[in-house]
Amino acid sequence: MAVVLDDIGKSNVSKKTEEVFDDDELEEDVEDGPTITKKKRKRRKKKAQTTDDGTDTKEKDEVEKEVTNGVTNINMDDETEAEGEKKKSRRRNKKKETKVDEPESKEKKQTNPPSVPIHELFPTSEYPVGQEVEYDGRMGKQRITSEEKRAIERSKYDDYNDARRAAEAHRQVRKHIQSWVKPGMTMIEICEELERCSRALIGEDGLKAGLAFPTGCSRNNCAAHYTPNAGDPTVLLYDDVTKIDFGTHVNGRIIDCAFTLTFNPKYDKLVEAVRDATNTGIKAAGIDVKLCEVGEAIQEVMESYEVELDGKTYPVKSIRNLNGHSIDAYRIHAGKTVPIVKGGEATMMEENEFYAIETFGSTGRGIVRDDMDTSHYMKNFDAPFVPLRLQASQKLLGTVNKNFGTLAFCKRWLDRLGATKYQMALKDLCDKGKNS
């Protein structure tokens, strides 16, 4: 750029600009881009200060501003283009990443509270095996090593897999309920939440999959088989000892499992005694084992415990007239009983049988009696044909056969199906069943 200067100021300007150029050259070697334009501005301002003619410096400043503005605008345009290219590349990378992650997103995970059916969580239909206890029978250890016996075991895979699906649904519902239940809830509220989750996880499908029997929520001195009917105002309290007993099934393969629910830590020893006795019974059970031996082992462990309640010590006793039992397809009580005390039948457990090992510990006398209103109903598995005169009884029996078959049910479940005015018909069916 040409600049006209006086002879007097020429030498002075040239000297000062040379010094500035030297400084600028050192800095320009390191810095580039927008910083160069800033240096140029400083340099030209210093030139303008050394000249004596004010009008010339103003004109030079304006021209220089235009030049520097042009340089900065060009630099800014370059920067925006570079940033735009970076953003585009980032978007492309994100798209690639999402495409790679798509297969993982297809895998379903359980919600909280649980609502995803078990068969959707395991699309290959291979369900968790669960806990396995090493066989310890006198005559049955060869069943683990014998290839022939193992082949027979594999032939029952479908039955075992159905039971494992029902067991996994039961396990997840049980885990949810144990953390969800709080004192102050009504028993109906607890049962409805448990049954809602169970129906969702088992994938309820008529008689192919669903609930095996009504939810038992027996409190304190009530040992078993209580479920609230409609309108029951019973509330769960902090000091209650509640037995939660519920079942699931797939193709009739029933999982019958229960747990004790307490909030007051003073009952921890009682819960520990029953849990230890149950695990002992499971370990003692097996093919060719006598049922009375299982009961003896359970009682020995159960009654080795004591519980201190409010300063008084109580021995834990096995309830002698409550038992475990064998289970068959669509049949919760298949004929054999597993005692929890010494004595009883010397009947042996046989191959391909299913059992529920149930233990009941008490600080009382160790015996129970029938009391309270009936809440569980079930069609007799071997009931013969009985003619029914009441049309309401015929209609109710049709509802039972269609929805429950030989599985247990309760009045709440009849209400859920829309049944009305069934009390007399239900009593009639019960009377006919007793007399047949």
Side-chain angles (χ1 to χ4, degrees):
M1 183 176 75
V3 180
V4 179
L5 296 176
D6 295 335
D7 292 337
I8 299 172
K10 188 175 182 181
S11 60
N12 294 332
V13 171
S14 61
K15 288 181 181 178
K16 290 184 178 180
T17 53
E18 285 176 1
E19 294 174 357
V20 174
F21 284 157
D22 293 338
D23 294 337
D24 286 344
E25 286 173 0
L26 292 172
E27 293 178 356
E28 285 172 359
D29 291 340
V30 180
E31 300 176 359
D32 57 355
T35 56
I36 295 174
T37 59
K38 292 179 182 179
K39 295 297 180 181
K40 286 181 179 179
R41 285 182 186 178
K42 291 179 181 179
R43 184 172 61 195
R44 291 186 176 93
K45 284 180 182 178
K46 289 182 179 180
K47 285 181 182 180
Q49 288 175 1
T50 56
T51 60
D52 295 330
D53 189 0
T55 57
D56 292 338
T57 55
K58 288 180 181 179
E59 291 176 358
K60 287 183 286 185
D61 289 340
E62 290 175 358
V63 175
E64 288 169 357
K65 284 180 182 178
E66 290 178 0
V67 175
T68 53
N69 287 336
V71 175
T72 52
N73 288 335
I74 293 169
N75 291 334
M76 290 297 292
D77 291 338
D78 293 339
E79 288 176 1
T80 53
E81 289 178 2
E83 288 177 0
E85 290 178 358
K86 288 181 180 179
K87 288 180 180 179
K88 288 180 181 178
S89 62
R90 287 175 185 171
R91 288 173 186 170
R92 290 170 186 165
N93 292 334
K94 285 182 179 179
K95 288 181 180 179
K96 291 179 181 179
E97 291 174 1
T98 53
K99 288 180 181 178
V100 174
D101 294 336
E102 277 180 2
E104 296 180 0
S105 62
K106 291 181 180 179
E107 295 182 2
K108 288 193 175 182
K109 294 184 179 180
Q110 191 55 270
T111 59
N112 185 23
S115 60
V116 181
I118 297 302
H119 66 269
E120 293 184 9
L121 296 176
F122 298 91
T124 59
S125 297
E126 294 182 4
Y127 302 103
V129 174
Q131 182 183 6
E132 290 185 330
V133 180
E134 185 177 351
Y135 190 81
D136 196 27
R138 295 190 305 270
M139 303 169 63
K141 286 190 175 181
Q142 60 169 341
R143 297 178 185 272
I144 298 175
T145 56
S146 172
E147 186 59 34
E148 180 182 357
K149 297 298 182 182
R150 291 169 67 183
I152 295 173
E153 188 83 0
R154 288 193 294 271
S155 68
K156 295 292 181 179
Y157 173 80
D158 289 340
D159 290 341
Y160 297 157
N161 204 44
D162 288 341
R164 287 165 183 162
R165 174 182 162 189
E168 181 62 18
H170 196 291
R171 184 190 69 81
Q172 293 191 20
V173 173
R174 185 169 70 245
K175 182 180 179 181
H176 164 60
I177 293 299
Q178 286 173 337
S179 62
W180 176 80
V181 174
K182 298 290 184 296
M185 294 180 175
T186 63
M187 305 312 293
I188 289 182
E189 182 182 0
I190 294 170
C191 290
E192 288 180 347
E193 172 67 11
L194 187 150
E195 290 167 3
R196 182 190 65 79
C197 289
S198 297
R199 288 188 175 101
L201 266 63
I202 202 64
E204 189 176 35
D205 183 17
L207 292 176
K208 293 181 179 179
L211 304 182
F213 52 84
T215 303
C217 50
S218 309
R219 297 165 56 246
N220 303 325
N221 61 319
C222 179
H225 298 167
Y226 160 80
T227 194
N229 292 321
D232 192 326
T234 307
V235 175
L236 181 66
L237 303 177
Y238 174 77
D239 281 328
D240 285 346
V241 178
T242 308
K243 285 73 67 181
I244 305 295
D245 185 8
F246 69 103
T248 55
H249 83 91
V250 175
N251 293 322
R253 290 301 168 185
I254 299 171
I255 297 299
D256 180 4
C257 184
F259 63 93
T260 302
L261 186 66
T262 62
F263 302 100
N264 195 327
K266 69 181 182 179
Y267 298 114
D268 289 350
K269 208 67 179 177
L270 178 61
V271 175
E272 182 184 346
V274 178
R275 183 185 295 113
D276 194 3
T278 302
N279 291 333
T280 299
I282 293 172
K283 188 175 181 180
I287 300 170
D288 298 333
V289 173
K290 294 180 180 179
L291 296 174
C292 59
E293 294 177 352
V294 177
E296 183 178 357
I298 289 173
Q299 183 181 22
E300 183 179 357
V301 172
M302 180 84 78
E303 299 187 355
S304 66
Y305 284 83
E306 292 181 341
V307 180
E308 184 177 345
L309 301 175
D310 301 326
K312 187 176 180 179
T313 302
Y314 297 88
V316 180
K317 295 181 180 179
S318 290
I319 299 178
R320 58 183 61 255
N321 57 340
L322 286 178
N323 309 283
H325 49 88
S326 58
I327 303 174
D328 208 345
Y330 295 102
R331 192 176 186 180
I332 187 65
H333 292 165
K336 293 183 179 181
T337 60
V338 184
I340 58 175
V341 292
K342 185 179 180 180
E345 299 179 2
T347 308
M348 289 187 176
M349 292 181 167
E350 298 179 42
E351 192 172 10
N352 299 324
E353 289 182 331
F354 287 73
Y355 282 89
I357 304 297
E358 300 182 2
T359 62
F360 298 85
S362 173
T363 57
R365 293 183 300 169
I367 192 170
V368 296
R369 56 184 174 82
D370 292 335
D371 197 1
M372 303 174 67
D373 296 334
T374 302
S375 59
H376 286 55
Y377 300 88
M378 183 171 62
K379 182 182 175 181
N380 191 339
F381 193 84
D382 298 320
F385 173 78
V386 178
L388 300 174
R389 295 183 179 180
L390 294 177
Q391 186 176 359
S393 299
Q394 296 174 7
K395 182 179 179 181
L396 181 60
L397 181 60
T399 301
V400 171
N401 288 334
K402 179 181 178 181
N403 296 279
F404 310 118
T406 54
L407 297 173
F409 61 95
C410 63
K411 292 180 180 179
R412 283 188 296 105
W413 291 5
L414 293 175
D415 296 337
R416 182 174 177 270
L417 293 172
T420 58
K421 299 179 181 180
Y422 54 79
Q423 295 287 356
M424 184 178 293
L426 186 60
K427 184 179 184 303
D428 182 51
L429 291 177
C430 291
D431 292 341
K432 292 290 193 298
K434 290 178 183 177
N435 298 328
S436 61

